[in-house]
Amino acid sequence: MKTFEKIIFTASLAAAAACAHAPAPGSFKAAPEPLTVEGSAAFDARNPGASSELAVLDAEKNAVRRAAELFMDEDARAENYGALEIGLLRTTQLYTAKRKILSEGQDGSSYRARVRVWVYHDKIASALRGMNLAGSGTPGTVAAFVQRGAADKGFAAAFREAFSRRSPIAIKDFPFASDEALLSGPEPRLLEAAASAGADLLFSATAAAASSGAGLSTGFYPSRAEASLKIYDVKTGAELLALSSQSNAIDSSITASFGKSLASAGELLAQAAIGKTDRLVKPETPIKVKVLGLGGLEVLEKLKAQLLRLDLKGLRLESYSEGAAVFVAVPRRSDPQEFASTVLRGDTLGLELEGTGAQEVIFSLPR
C-alpha cells in the first residue's frame, strides 16, 4: 500500500471546504449501505468512555474513506489524498446515517472498536465529483518523459506545458525518469522501466545550449539551443518519431540567455510533436462493465479489487445504485467478448455473463 504525506491546512480552509462540498439536504435518494470497519484511539484510563467515542469516530472516518475509494481511480487517490482528508474525512457526519458497535475494548495502550457504519455512498460520490477527485472520465494514453544527458528543468517544463495544452496524451511523472543509471544506459532499459511503470509511450529528449557569439564587448550574450526527441511505443519498443528543434536567445546574463533558448527549444519541439503524435497513437476504447445483483458495498469492494488485478490501463466506478454497478474499463485490447472471458477466468465471486454488446459487458451475481 502506498504511503502518502498528509497535507496540513488551516482550520479556516477546512471549514470552507466542508461548507463548499456539503450535499444539500434531501437531494439524494439512495438508502445508506453498511460497511464493517475498525477504529482505534489512545486509551485513557481516566476516561474510557471518551476513548470509546474516539475509536468509534475513527471507524466512521475509515468507513467514509473506504466508500470514497470505490469512486476514485488509483491516480486520483494517490494525487489527492490531502484533499480527500480535508474535504470528506473531517466532516464524516454528513455522510453517515447510523452506526452499530460490534465489539470494543482496550488493546494495550490503544482502545479499539469494530463498528458497522451505514454510509450515504451517493453523497460521497457527488462530493468527490464536486471536488474533481473522482478521476478522469476515460483513462487515456500515458507518456513518460525522460531527459538524457545534461538535464534542464526549464526545457522540460516548457516542453511539457506546451504539449499538455493541446494534446490528449497525458505526460506523467514516474520515479524511473530520474534514475541516473537508467538515463545513462541503453534505450531498451528505459523502455523496460516504462513498461513496468504502466506508460504507453516513452518520450526521450536531449537538450543543450551554447554561446553563439561574443558577449563581452556588447554586454549581451547570444545563445543557441538544440534539442531532440524520440518517441517510442513502450509495448512494441518501436520508434514512432524522431524530431529536433533549434532556438536562439539573447540576454545580459549568459545563464538567462541559455535558459531562454532552452525553454524556447522545448516549446518548439512540443509543437512539432503534438500533431504527429496524435495521428500515430490510436485513441483508447473504453468498455462499460455493468454488474447486477451486488449485495452491498463490501461485495462492490471485492469486485473492484478483482477487476484491478486484470491487465487494465484504467478503471473507474461510474455509478452504483441498489446493487447495480457500472464501471468504465480500458483493457489492453478492446474486444468486449475477450474482455468478458478474461473477467470470468479471474472471478472468485460467482459472476455470470448476461451478454456483450458494442463496447459493453453485462454480468450478474446470483444471490
Side-chain angles (χ1 to χ4, degrees):
M1 182 177 290
K2 299 178 180 178
T3 301
F4 308 105
E5 294 181 0
K6 291 187 177 180
I7 302 174
I8 301 175
F9 295 90
T10 62
S12 60
L13 183 57
C19 293
H21 303 296
S27 59
F28 299 93
K29 298 180 180 180
E33 295 195 20
L35 285 169
T36 301
V37 289
E38 293 186 354
S40 64
F43 177 66
D44 184 353
R46 297 169 298 179
N47 193 346
S51 301
S52 171
E53 181 60 22
L54 288 173
V56 172
L57 289 175
D58 185 55
E60 289 186 347
K61 181 177 178 179
N62 290 335
V64 173
R65 179 188 290 107
R66 278 174 56 185
E69 288 176 350
L70 283 169
F71 293 93
M72 299 173 74
D73 65 22
E74 295 305 292
D75 288 338
R77 184 170 66 169
E79 295 169 4
N80 300 289
Y81 186 77
L84 177 63
E85 282 281 326
I86 191 172
L88 268 72
L89 302 185
R90 293 189 183 182
T91 55
T92 55
Q93 69 277 7
L94 296 174
Y95 307 103
T96 56
K98 61 180 180 178
R99 66 196 190 192
K100 179 181 180 181
I101 300 175
L102 304 178
S103 62
E104 62 178 321
Q106 181 184 355
D107 181 12
S109 60
S110 300
Y111 194 94
R112 302 188 184 279
R114 186 167 178 266
V115 187
R116 197 150 176 80
V117 181
W118 280 257
V119 297
Y120 291 108
H121 57 82
D122 56 342
K123 290 184 181 181
I124 292 170
S126 177
L128 290 172
R129 289 191 292 269
M131 292 184 286
N132 294 320
L133 297 183
S136 59
T138 301
T141 302
V142 175
F145 178 87
V146 299
Q147 190 173 351
R148 310 195 73 175
D152 183 83
K153 292 182 179 179
F155 164 78
F159 176 88
R160 294 177 64 153
E161 182 180 353
F163 190 87
S164 299
R165 278 199 304 264
R166 293 177 52 195
S167 176
I169 298 171
I171 299 178
K172 293 193 175 183
D173 292 316
F174 294 99
F176 80 87
S178 57
D179 187 324
E180 294 295 337
L182 282 173
L183 294 177
S184 61
E187 214 81 70
R189 290 188 60 197
L190 279 172
L191 286 166
E192 290 175 5
S196 298
D200 304 298
L201 301 175
L202 175 66
F203 287 12
S204 179
T206 63
S211 298
S212 61
L216 293 176
S217 59
T218 64
F220 290 92
Y221 297 87
S223 66
R224 182 180 184 84
E226 296 186 355
S228 66
L229 175 70
K230 290 183 178 181
I231 300 178
Y232 295 91
D233 182 320
V234 169
K235 186 175 182 180
T236 65
E239 182 182 306
L240 302 179
L241 282 175
L243 304 168
S244 62
S245 69
Q246 297 178 339
S247 182
N248 298 308
I250 187 169
D251 198 275
S252 58
S253 161
I254 190 169
T255 301
S257 179
F258 279 20
K260 285 181 178 179
S261 62
L262 283 166
S264 179
E267 185 169 353
L268 291 172
L269 194 60
Q271 292 172 359
I274 288 168
K276 295 181 179 180
T277 306
D278 290 349
R279 287 194 295 270
L280 285 171
V281 178
K282 294 181 180 180
E284 303 295 346
T285 305
I287 292 178
K288 284 208 171 185
V289 185
K290 297 182 180 180
V291 185
L292 311 175
L294 296 170
L297 295 179
E298 291 176 349
V299 179
L300 179 59
E301 282 183 311
K302 294 177 182 178
L303 173 64
K304 183 178 180 181
Q306 181 171 290
L307 293 175
L308 283 172
R309 287 194 290 270
L310 303 178
D311 185 22
L312 301 177
K313 297 177 68 175
L315 179 73
R316 181 176 62 87
L317 176 61
E318 186 175 82
S319 65
Y320 171 74
S321 178
E322 298 180 349
V326 179
F327 288 90
V328 176
V330 181
R332 300 290 174 181
R333 297 180 63 181
S334 58
D335 182 277
Q337 293 185 347
E338 182 179 339
F339 176 73
S341 298
T342 302
V343 171
L344 292 175
R345 282 197 299 270
D347 176 48
T348 59
L349 298 176
L351 294 174
E352 293 185 359
L353 179 62
E354 296 293 332
T356 61
Q359 302 312 123
E360 180 179 86
V361 179
I362 302 175
F363 298 98
S364 66
L365 190 61
R367 298 188 180 181

